[in-house]
Amino acid sequence: MKKILLSTITVIGYCLLVIGMTSCEGGDLYNVNAPEWLAGMGGGEEEQEEEEELEGMMEDVYNIGKDDLTSGFWTLGKTYVIPAGAKWNAQFNLTVNPDNKYYKNFYIVLNAFNGDLGDEYGVIRFDNDPSKNSEWNTTGTEIDRSLVDGNFNNSSGDDDIDASVQKMNGKITVTVNRAEGGLFIKMTNGTLTKTYTQKTPFPSTGADIDIACRIGVEGSLVSFLSTNIEPIGGCTSANDKQPLSMELMGVPSEVLIGTPLEEAMANVMANVTFEEGVVKTVTAADLQFEAIPNMDELGRKTLVVIYNKTFKGANCDKPVVANKTFSVVNELSAFTQTVVVPTPHVLGAEDNSSGWWSAHTDNIKVEPKETKVVNFTNYSSGAANWNNFVIVLNKANLAEYAVVRADNYGWGDGYAACTHVGGFGSDEEWAAWLRAMNGAKVTAYITNNGDGTASVKAVMYGTDGNVYTQEYNGINTVDPDDFYFRFTIDGCHLVFDNELGTPNCTTGWWSVFTQNVQVKAHQICTVNFTNYTSGAGNWNNFVLIMNKADVTKEYAVVRADNWGWGDGYAACTPSGGQADWGAWLSAMNGAKVTLKIANNGDGTADVKAVMHGTDGVDYIQDYIGINTIDPDDFYFRFTVDSSYLVFE
C-alpha cells in the first residue's frame, strides 16, 4: 500500500498523466495509451481548488471504456464495497466526448452487497442538470434529488448539447462517505464539483448494509488511478503484465471453401487475461491464425489462435494459445426460425386431469429448412414420466410421421430411424426430473430439414434450477412440403407464453424476461408481437437482449428507439431512428411488430424491426453488424420497461 499525496496540478499535467496510463478491466477494452487528441483538452480556465491529502491510497490502474469513446451505456468498472461507517476515496482521469453530449461523462452505481450485488438503489452522474436524469432511483426512493448541490448546472437544451461539458475533463476525486450513518458523495476535478448530502439513513431499509459502488461510463473514458478500498478481484498495478490465457469470440461455424483464412477470421476477437487478472480485448489484427488441416478441403477444421504480446504490447515470454473448431463447406447452412404461440393458449385442465389424447393445439406448418420455436410452461400431475407435454409430427390431414414425449420416448414410422439424446440412468434421476417438470419453463424447437427428415429439441428449465435437454434427431419418412406439428397432453396441462409484462404497462425495467431462444449460425429468427407502451418515454417499448446460453454474458441490448449498449453493440450500425419521435411513440401503443434476429455465423448478428404503427405507418429500426458473437452460443430474450408485449 502506498500513500499518494495530492496537490494542485495543471491541465498539462492531467494530459501527461492520462497519456502515460495503461489499463483496463473486466469486459471493457484495455488500452496502452489514451487518445492522441486528449493532449489538447483541458478542464477549463477556472482557478482550481487545493486538493486534500488522501490517506491509505493504493495504486489501481485500469480503464473503464474504450479509448475511441464509443463505449455504450452501462460500461462498468470494478466493484468497491463500502461498509457502514466507512469512507471510499478514488481518483481517476476522465476524458469526455468531443460531441458535447451532456450525459457522456461518468456515474456511480449504488447497490446493496452481501457477498454478491443486491438491490440497485440508484445512480448519480457527474453532470448536474435538474431537468434531465442526472441522478435516478432504481429501488424505492433512496436518492433525493433535492439533496444535490454543486457549482455548475448544465443547460443542455433539447438537443442534449452543451459545450461546457469539456470542463469535466481532468483528474477526478470521488468520495463516498458513510461515516455518519447517512450518505455523502462528492465528485470533483478541482474546477467542477457535485455533492450529494443525505443525513438520514442510507439505505432506508438498513443503514448497516454494505454498499457496493461501481464507476460507469457512456461514450467517455475513465482511466483509474487509485483507491483506498481494495476492489473485488484486487487492485491492478501499472507494471507490464504477461498473458496467461485467452477466450475466443466470433469464430465462424462455417466457412465457404476457397475463402482465405485471414478473411474468414476477420471478425474474431479474444479476451486475453494477463497477470493480476487484468483482461484486454484484442482484435484479429493482434492474433495469429492457423487451420488444421488446411482450408483446401471440405470438412471439420481446428482453428489455432496465438497471441504473443504483453499487456503493453511488447513481445511476451510465452505466447498463449486457444483453439476452436469450424467447418469448411460448399454452401452455408440457411435455416429460418419463427417463434409462434399455439392456440389455445392453455391446453388441458388446470388440475392436470385431462386424459391421454384428449386435447390438441391447432396444426402449425413448418416449411422446408425452417424451425418453429414454442415457449410454454409445463405442469404435470407427477404420477408418471409420460404425464408431460407430447409433440405430434404429422401431415396437414393429421397422418402421423412420429410422436415424441418429454421423457425420451416416442413412436411412429419416422421415429424408428431417429437418434435421441436425453434421459437418465437411474430411477432417482428420473424422479428428480419429474418433480422439476411441474412448472418447468420449456423451449421447443421443431425443425423441417428439407431433406425428408425432421428434428425436435426441448430445453426444459426445471423448478429445481437445472436445465434438462431432450432431442430427437433424424426423424424420417417426412414430406418436407407437408410437415406440421401440434401438442397434446396426458395428465398435464400446458400454458403457452404469449405475453410479457402487465396490460397496464406498469412493469418496471429489467424485472421480467421471456425464455432464452437459440439462433444457430446462419439462421434468422422472426418474432411477431403487439407492443403496448405507457407512452412516458421512447424507451418504454420492447427491449431485445442478445446473450450466451447462461445469460450472464451479454453481447448487446437494443431498444425499439434507436438505442442500445454492450460490447457487441459498439460496432453496429443503427438505422438512425425516426423522423418524428412524437408520432412514433404515439403509434407504438398497439403497434404490430415483426422482429428478425440474424446469426450471420461469422461472429456478427443483425436485428431488424418493422413496427406497423396504429397510425398505419411502418416504422423501421435496424441494428446491423453487432459483433463479439459466438455463433455456436447465441440466444435472445425480451424484457420490458413500462411496456407490455403480446406474442402471436
Side-chain angles (χ1 to χ4, degrees), residues 80-380:
Y80 301 84
V81 179
I82 305 151
K87 180 170 71 172
W88 176 47
N89 289 317
Q91 291 194 311
F92 50 82
N93 284 294
L94 174 65
T95 306
V96 300
N97 204 295
D99 68 6
N100 290 330
K101 296 285 188 179
Y102 80 98
Y103 52 84
K104 290 185 179 180
N105 49 80
F106 77 91
Y107 46 88
I108 303 175
V109 185
L110 302 164
N111 286 75
F113 190 84
N114 185 18
D116 292 302
L117 289 174
D119 288 342
E120 182 186 297
Y121 298 124
V123 178
I124 298 179
R125 210 169 50 212
F126 189 38
D127 54 84
N128 188 22
D129 191 327
S131 67
K132 302 286 186 175
N133 57 337
S134 296
E135 52 277 326
W136 64 87
N137 286 290
T138 309
T139 302
T141 56
E142 297 292 347
I143 295 176
D144 183 350
R145 283 188 168 187
S146 69
L147 304 179
V148 172
D149 197 4
N151 65 351
F152 64 94
N153 270 329
N154 293 78
S155 54
S156 53
D158 293 336
D159 60 2
D160 295 337
I161 301 297
D162 184 356
S164 69
V165 302
Q166 296 303 316
K167 298 176 183 178
M168 297 180 185
N169 279 301
K171 187 175 182 180
I172 305 291
T173 299
V174 167
T175 298
V176 179
N177 192 343
R178 305 184 66 207
E180 297 182 3
L183 180 67
F184 173 75
I185 295 176
K186 181 179 180 181
M187 316 173 187
T188 183
N189 64 358
T191 299
L192 299 177
T193 299
K194 179 176 180 176
T195 61
Y196 178 85
T197 305
Q198 180 173 323
K199 296 182 179 180
T200 56
F202 186 96
S204 58
T205 52
D208 58 343
I209 294 173
D210 287 351
I211 300 295
C213 288
R214 291 171 292 167
I215 301 295
V217 300
E218 177 181 5
S220 55
L221 173 67
V222 160
S223 297
F224 222 89
L225 299 173
S226 59
T227 173
N228 69 322
I229 290 178
E230 185 172 343
I232 294 175
C235 292
T236 303
S237 75
N239 298 327
D240 202 2
K241 302 163 186 67
Q242 296 292 325
L244 301 178
S245 64
M246 69 176 168
E247 176 189 6
L248 301 178
M249 301 179 293
V251 176
S253 292
E254 298 176 343
V255 174
L256 282 174
I257 193 165
T259 305
L261 182 60
E262 291 74 15
E263 179 182 332
M265 302 303 159
N267 290 317
V268 174
M269 304 174 76
N271 280 335
V272 180
T273 300
F274 296 83
E275 294 170 323
E276 300 183 38
V278 175
V279 179
K280 176 181 179 180
T281 302
V282 300
T283 64
D286 299 309
L287 302 169
Q288 300 173 34
F289 300 101
E290 183 176 352
I292 303 174
N294 61 46
M295 302 276 286
D296 298 335
E297 297 179 356
L298 300 174
R300 201 72 169 161
K301 312 293 179 183
T302 297
L303 177 69
V304 179
V305 183
I306 302 170
Y307 180 76
N308 64 354
K309 301 293 183 182
T310 65
F311 177 67
K312 291 186 176 182
N315 290 329
C316 65
D317 295 339
K318 182 180 179 181
V320 290
V321 180
N323 60 76
K324 193 166 186 181
T325 59
F326 68 97
S327 295
V328 174
V329 297
N330 273 324
E331 182 180 0
L332 298 176
S333 302
F335 276 78
T336 297
Q337 291 192 167
T338 304
V339 174
V340 297
V341 181
T343 52
H345 292 155
V346 179
L347 186 66
E350 294 187 6
D351 62 358
N352 297 319
S353 62
S354 297
W356 167 247
W357 218 255
S358 59
H360 296 79
T361 61
D362 294 342
N363 248 0
I364 298 174
K365 187 172 186 180
V366 188
E367 300 288 353
K369 288 205 167 184
E370 182 184 30
T371 298
K372 284 296 199 315
V373 185
V374 181
N375 291 316
F376 60 95
T377 305
N378 178 95
Y379 297 94
S380 172

Side-chain angles (χ1 to χ4, degrees), residues 384-430:
N385 291 343
W386 52 83
N387 296 131
N388 291 287
F389 68 87
V390 180
I391 302 176
V392 186
L393 310 180
N394 47 249
K395 294 185 176 184
N397 65 4
L398 305 186
E400 293 171 13
Y401 299 118
V403 179
V404 296
R405 298 191 320 209
D407 64 333
N408 198 39
Y409 188 75
W411 56 86
D413 291 343
Y415 177 83
C418 84
T419 58
H420 27 114
V421 179
F424 306 101
S426 70
D427 292 342
E428 291 80 5
E429 290 172 312
W430 276 112

Side-chain angles (χ1 to χ4, degrees), residues 465-478:
N466 292 324
V467 179
Y468 302 93
T469 302
Q470 180 62 57
E471 297 183 49
Y472 300 94
N473 299 310
I475 297 168
N476 66 5
T477 72
V478 169

